[in-house]
Amino acid sequence: DIIHTNAESFHTFLKSEGYEYLIFEIGSIKLWNVQNVSNEAAIPEVEKLLNSLVDSGKFTPVQQIKDGGFVFKVN
C-alpha cells in the first residue's frame, strides 16, 4: 500500500526484503487510479512521496528515466 506509507516504513520493508534499488516510473500513478484517485490529484501525491524518499536520506536518486521516473538506491 505505497499510497499510504512513508519513507521510513517503505525503507524498512525494502531492506527487510533485500532490495538494493527502487524503480519508480511514471506509470506508478496507475496505483493511485486503482484507488479512485484522478491523475490530477495523484500527481501531487507522487511528488510528495518522491520528495519524502529523498528528504529521508534513506534513498539516493541515481538515475532519471527517460519519459518519467527515477531509480533510487536504497541506503
Side-chain angles (χ1 to χ4, degrees), residues 8 11 14 16 19 25 29 44 49 51-52 54 56 60 62 71 75:
E8 180 72 33
H11 180 265
L14 293 172
S16 71
Y19 287 94
E25 52 89 27
I29 290 177
L49 176 60
N51 287 333
S52 74
V54 173
S56 72
T60 303
V62 294
V71 176
N75 298 331

Side-chain angles (χ1 to χ4, degrees), residues 9-48:
S9 298
F10 199 32
H11 180 265
T12 300
F13 169 77
L14 293 172
K15 288 299 267 189
S16 71
E17 296 295 318
Y19 287 94
E20 295 182 33
Y21 291 90
L22 166 66
I23 298 172
F24 193 97
E25 52 89 27
I26 200 68
S28 300
I29 290 177
K30 291 177 183 175
L31 292 173
W32 277 259
N33 292 143
V34 169
Q35 305 252 340
N36 296 318
V37 177
S38 69
N39 282 346
E40 295 78 27
I43 290 171
E45 292 298 318
V46 170
E47 290 175 346
K48 180 180 167 185

